[in-house]
Amino acid sequence: MQDVQNQMDGRGIAIQRVGIKDAHLPFLIKTKEGGFQQVLARICFTVALPEKYKGTHMSRFLEILMPWSRKPLAEPEMESMLEEALCRLDAHSAEVSLSFKYFVDKKAPVSGRRSVLDLDCCFTGSKIKGQPMEFQLGVDVPFTSLCPCSKEISAYGAHNQRSVARVQLRFRPETECIYIEDLAALVEAQGSALIYPLLKREDEKFVTEAAYTNPKFVEDILRDIVLELRQLKGLAWFSLECENYESIHNHNAYAAHEESLV
């Protein structure tokens, strides 16, 4: 059969990323405890297309992905996936991004009731032929924030809100990446109080009072997270966004920061 994709193209435009997006497959993600958590990932998988080719072979992306969906997945497996893409698609560079919900165990502060908190996570691997893979971990971590200004000027209480920190990390080669569980714990501890899916009345009292005794602006939270991230061994780069979903305004409070540590 005629291979239209391999036909020559005369427009002289190399495409930086071409492939598939919004594919969904199950994967096994390693947990801190040594086991694996099955997740459903939304996938974007691309390669660079040389200017001489009319198109890429879309079916090959899924052929590469399918076997890995039945195996535990971490950085070495993602690099093998990208190596296969570089070879089978005759590409100079390749990138794969897996977005998924990951669940961490939470224990209520007073009652001890157990529940699981869902975190939006993303693994991204990018590789140029002949070079090591660059791996990026992304995690969105929710927490509670309480406004210092509101507490200072109000006779009764202070307004608080649910907040989120969106963290992206890249580590230096040969450095082990942080576990999702540890990164979430590091980040959420910098808010005014932690968030729990399941709280009894005694827990709600504890969390409300904890936030009241630890007021923070969005700027405070971002700076405190930055200081903690700088202490991570082997961290090469990070970006951070903090957003408070304001309870008394029709807008959100926002702060962002990016830093290279190489």
Side-chain angles (χ1 to χ4, degrees):
M1 297 177 68
Q2 187 176 8
D3 189 351
V4 178
Q5 285 96 335
N6 270 344
Q7 291 180 356
M8 303 299 290
D9 192 281
R11 284 166 284 190
I13 300 173
I15 301 177
Q16 295 170 352
R17 288 186 297 276
V18 60
I20 62 172
K21 185 179 179 182
D22 281 345
H24 294 82
L25 286 172
F27 288 96
L28 295 173
I29 305 298
K30 187 177 181 181
T31 65
K32 183 181 178 181
E33 290 73 23
F36 296 94
Q37 185 176 138
Q38 187 171 50
V39 303
L40 177 61
R42 186 176 73 252
I43 306 159
C44 181
F45 195 4
T46 62
V47 295
L49 183 69
E51 63 181 45
K52 64 180 180 180
Y53 290 130
K54 185 175 184 65
T56 191
H57 293 269
M58 296 293 180
S59 62
R60 292 182 187 175
F61 291 97
L62 284 169
E63 288 174 347
I64 295 168
L65 285 168
M66 286 297 179
W68 292 109
S69 71
R70 305 181 187 97
K71 304 174 185 179
L73 188 72
E75 293 171 67
E77 290 77 21
M78 290 185 70
E79 185 159 20
S80 296
M81 186 188 301
L82 291 169
E83 284 280 12
E84 186 177 354
L86 293 174
C87 179
R88 293 190 61 183
L89 291 159
D90 190 23
H92 172 69
S93 63
E95 181 174 291
V96 62
S97 178
L98 312 174
S99 301
F100 55 91
K101 288 280 190 182
Y102 187 85
F103 293 86
V104 296
D105 293 326
K106 302 290 287 186
K107 183 179 178 182
V110 180
S111 70
R113 296 293 184 94
R114 293 189 176 275
S115 57
V116 290
L117 177 68
D118 62 296
L119 303 175
D120 289 317
C121 301
C122 185
F123 288 175
T124 301
S126 57
K127 186 173 178 64
I128 297 173
K129 184 175 289 187
Q131 298 184 18
M133 179 186 71
E134 187 174 78
F135 177 78
Q136 185 166 309
L137 169 65
V139 182
D140 293 358
V141 184
F143 48 85
T144 295
S145 60
L146 185 135
C147 178
C149 182
S150 176
K151 178 180 177 179
E152 182 67 26
I153 63 176
S154 302
Y156 310 105
H159 82 82
N160 58 15
Q161 52 271 321
R162 184 166 52 88
S163 305
V164 64
R166 302 181 183 93
V167 188
Q168 299 281 337
L169 306 178
R170 289 201 295 264
F171 285 82
R172 292 193 287 271
E174 309 304 323
T175 302
E176 188 173 344
C177 187
I178 189 172
Y179 283 105
I180 294 172
E181 293 90 338
D182 290 337
L183 179 57
L186 178 153
V187 171
E188 68 180 357
Q190 312 316 313
S192 296
L194 306 189
I195 277 181
Y196 302 87
L198 176 60
L199 293 173
K200 305 302 286 184
R201 279 179 295 178
E202 58 270 30
D203 301 310
E204 187 172 350
K205 177 180 184 296
F206 178 93
V207 172
T208 302
E209 292 174 348
Y212 189 77
T213 59
N214 189 27
K216 288 189 176 186
F217 292 121
V218 69
E219 298 93 333
D220 296 318
I221 296 168
L222 182 133
R223 286 178 170 133
D224 287 341
I225 297 174
V226 167
L227 292 176
E228 292 296 321
L229 292 177
R230 287 174 177 172
Q231 303 305 310
L232 291 181
K233 183 179 178 181
L235 187 63
W237 169 91
F238 68 85
S239 73
L240 172 63
E241 295 181 340
C242 291
E243 188 170 359
N244 293 349
Y245 300 110
E246 292 288 297
S247 59
I248 64 169
H249 305 292
N250 195 27
H251 59 264
N252 295 339
Y254 176 81
H257 182 79
E258 181 176 329
E259 201 167 295
S260 177
L261 303 175
V262 177

